[in-house]
Amino acid sequence: MKGFNTLLYKELLRFYKVAFQTIFAPVVTALLYLLVFASTFKGRSDILPGVPYVAFLIPGLMMMSMIQNAFANSSSSLIQSKITGNLIFILLSPLSAVEFFLAFVGASIVRAFCVAVGVYVAAIFFVPLPIQHPVFLLLFGFLGSAGLGALGVIAGIWAERFDQLAGFQNFVVVPLSFLSGVFYSLRDLPPFWQTVSRLNPLLYMIDGFRYGFFGTSDVSPDLSLAFVAAFCVGVSALAMALVGRGYRLRN
């Protein structure tokens, strides 16, 4: 496991060295969303029974920050290594595809949880936020971060330029995260858009993560957990298959 540990340490060190950009900046961005939406919709009726709108926002913002940063961590690392040419040194090492994959995704999960803790610590100064189901909270946080970290590996392998990766993030990840119930409840949508929203895997991540705090959700937490787990397994299998084949890595 020395090779895996070394690559994981390298990936952790990569985002730790620029923590102001990779951790603190996403926390500030989430807090700005919280301030803007909380002040705009101040006084509106509770979306979930007994849950003020400000409290409703915080889990969604936490999870949105986690998935966006998990994706950014693995994808940006791979595209930088490909463009600068130092990826060859990783490929020449006796690392299996599984070790390669787990190192990149593991670092993405750690960064995602660092951002989530930062958002939570800052947000509780605005409103108290109880945690009713910590196991569900950790499961959805872990699976959501792992799934988007694996998707980041796929995007980093596929992209050959920074603009291609930016397009993937701006036209796939960001719209899906914004349309996943961060700022609204699924039950507030018309029936047609409720059906469309249920096709979004990020909806189940955020709804299940919110269930961990409040014990109430729009979708059954067991169904959400099964959906998120299936998504995570699917993208992970695809990512490991691409790494194993050396798709766009050995050019």
Side-chain angles (χ1 to χ4, degrees):
M1 297 296 290
K2 181 179 288 188
F4 164 76
N5 292 334
T6 302
L7 182 56
L8 177 61
Y9 177 72
K10 174 254 184 189
E11 287 300 307
L12 292 174
L13 199 63
R14 191 186 73 87
F15 79 79
Y16 172 75
K17 286 291 186 178
V18 287
F20 192 81
Q21 174 187 349
T22 57
I23 297 176
F24 294 108
V27 172
V28 172
T29 301
L31 290 178
L32 289 174
Y33 279 122
L34 179 63
L35 289 172
V36 170
F37 278 88
S39 60
T40 301
F41 295 100
K42 183 178 180 180
R44 69 168 293 174
S45 58
D46 297 346
I47 294 182
L48 297 177
V51 179
Y53 184 67
V54 177
F56 173 86
L57 276 177
I58 295 173
L61 290 172
M62 288 175 62
M63 193 61 184
M64 184 179 75
S65 300
M66 291 177 74
I67 57 183
Q68 288 183 353
N69 281 275
F71 174 86
N73 197 74
S74 55
S75 60
S76 63
S77 180
L78 273 171
I79 192 66
Q80 286 173 4
S81 295
K82 288 171 68 175
I83 290 176
T84 58
N86 61 38
L87 183 63
I88 186 64
F89 300 110
I90 300 177
L91 296 176
L92 287 174
S93 62
L95 284 170
S96 68
V98 174
E99 290 173 314
F100 182 98
F101 168 80
L102 290 178
F104 279 92
V105 173
S108 298
I109 294 171
V110 173
R111 175 176 167 182
F113 272 88
C114 288
V115 172
V117 171
V119 174
Y120 178 78
V121 171
I124 57 176
F125 287 99
F126 295 91
V127 60
L129 204 63
I131 299 177
Q132 297 193 17
H133 300 284
V135 174
F136 274 95
L137 195 70
L138 293 174
L139 280 174
F140 278 102
F142 177 83
L143 291 173
S145 302
L148 268 294
L151 187 63
V153 171
I154 295 172
I157 292 174
W158 167 81
E160 296 182 327
R161 303 188 306 272
F162 281 109
D163 61 317
Q164 290 180 328
L165 182 60
F168 193 102
Q169 183 163 8
N170 292 332
F171 294 105
V172 178
V173 178
V174 172
L176 287 178
S177 60
F178 272 86
L179 299 176
S180 57
V182 175
F183 306 105
Y184 58 86
S185 172
L186 183 66
R187 67 190 71 179
D188 293 335
L189 299 176
F192 172 77
W193 291 110
Q194 288 189 27
T195 303
V196 172
S197 295
R198 290 178 185 275
L199 301 176
N200 182 359
L202 275 59
L203 167 74
Y204 300 93
M205 298 178 190
I206 290 176
D207 193 59
F209 192 74
R210 188 176 280 128
Y211 174 83
F213 282 98
F214 307 123
T216 182
S217 59
D218 293 328
V219 182
S220 165
D222 295 328
L223 176 63
S224 294
L225 188 60
F227 198 98
V228 172
F231 172 81
C232 183
V233 170
V235 293
S236 297
L238 177 58
M240 284 190 285
L242 293 177
V243 173
R245 290 178 53 192
Y247 176 74
R248 291 195 174 184
L249 293 175
R250 298 172 183 170
N251 295 340

